[in-house]
Amino acid sequence: MSDDSTRARTAVVTGASSGIGAATARALAAEGFRVVCAARRSDRIEELAAEIGGEAITCDITDQASVDALAAAVPTCHVLVNNAGGAVGVDRVDGADVDAWRWMYDVNVLGLVRVTKALLPALRASGDAVIVNVGSTAGRWAYEGGAGYTAAKHGVKVVTETLRLELNGEPVRISEVAPGMVRTDEFSLVRFGGDQERADAVYAGVDQPLLAEDVADAIAWVATRPSHVDIDELVIKPRAQAAAHKVHRS
């Protein structure tokens, strides 16, 4: 339910073309925010922006010039959701594809840093801002075949914690929302190079994995707390998942 405290406020969501990002854009728009949908796929974010009354800005968070253009278009920002990220492959450390690991670090960690650094002046200008970094339970647990992704998401966790320290005393709150098993159209499909069968096997027999809308609901809740309330971190898993290696399957 929106109120006067959120009307006309601006939220920027990266990776808004699908999954958690698109769901978050919708959730924040429902709370009354003017949402800037940022992603590489222009057609998707333009459709989304038209649906929610927001604005689409094509942005590749791995490209500094693209990030600078995003920042130039957003003079004041009340909520920044650093959602863009992803995983590629399930290589063991002794068989690591270093290029894939480099991509994961660039998009999950360096991309987050680029966007945050570029938008901090706009966040400060709002007088009351929130940064929500979308992390993962992979930033808390190690698992075989996941070191490239878990290393990147551990990086997200530590960058978030450091920002909280460095911006203490400023009108900017810092939060991390860290989901566990979330079934979206693209995450596992991208991870397995388009292999639908392998992607589907991740969720096989799992009673109700999280949906993008569940995570978006949590992000919107974090972003709409009173200005003195900072949700440092929120870990959200489906009931069926106790840990990375412990998932109930029927």
Side-chain angles (χ1 to χ4, degrees), residues 11 13 15-18 21-30 33-39 41-58:
V13 180
S17 60
S18 66
T24 298
R26 292 187 178 98
L28 290 173
F33 287 91
R34 170 185 166 270
V35 182
V36 175
C37 306
R41 291 177 288 187
S42 302
D43 56 338
R44 292 199 177 192
I45 54 173
E46 286 167 3
E47 182 179 348
L48 176 61
E51 173 195 330
I52 65 175
E55 180 182 357
I57 297 180
T58 304

Side-chain angles (χ1 to χ4, degrees), residues 201-215:
V202 173
Y203 312 101
V206 178
D207 182 27
Q208 293 183 300
L210 294 177
L211 301 176
E213 290 75 13
D214 297 319
V215 182

Side-chain angles (χ1 to χ4, degrees), residues 3 5 8 10 28 41 48-49 56 59 72 81 102 107 111 129 136 141 162 187 189 192 199-200 206 243:
D3 57 35
S5 67
T10 297
L28 290 173
R41 291 177 288 187
L48 176 61
C59 180
V81 181
R102 184 179 291 111
V107 72
S136 171
W141 305 327
T162 305
F187 180 84
L189 196 61
F192 294 116
D200 289 343
V206 178

Side-chain angles (χ1 to χ4, degrees), residues 83-88 100 103-105 107-108 148-149 152-153 187 190-191:
N83 164 74
V88 177
W103 179 86
M104 284 187 279
Y105 192 80
V107 72
N108 288 285
Y149 183 59
K153 286 304 187 183
F187 180 84
V190 170
R191 185 167 206 173

Side-chain angles (χ1 to χ4, degrees), residues 134-156:
V134 179
S136 171
T137 52
R140 288 146 178 84
W141 305 327
Y143 58 90
E144 292 163 293
Y149 183 59
T150 59
K153 286 304 187 183
H154 275 75
V156 169

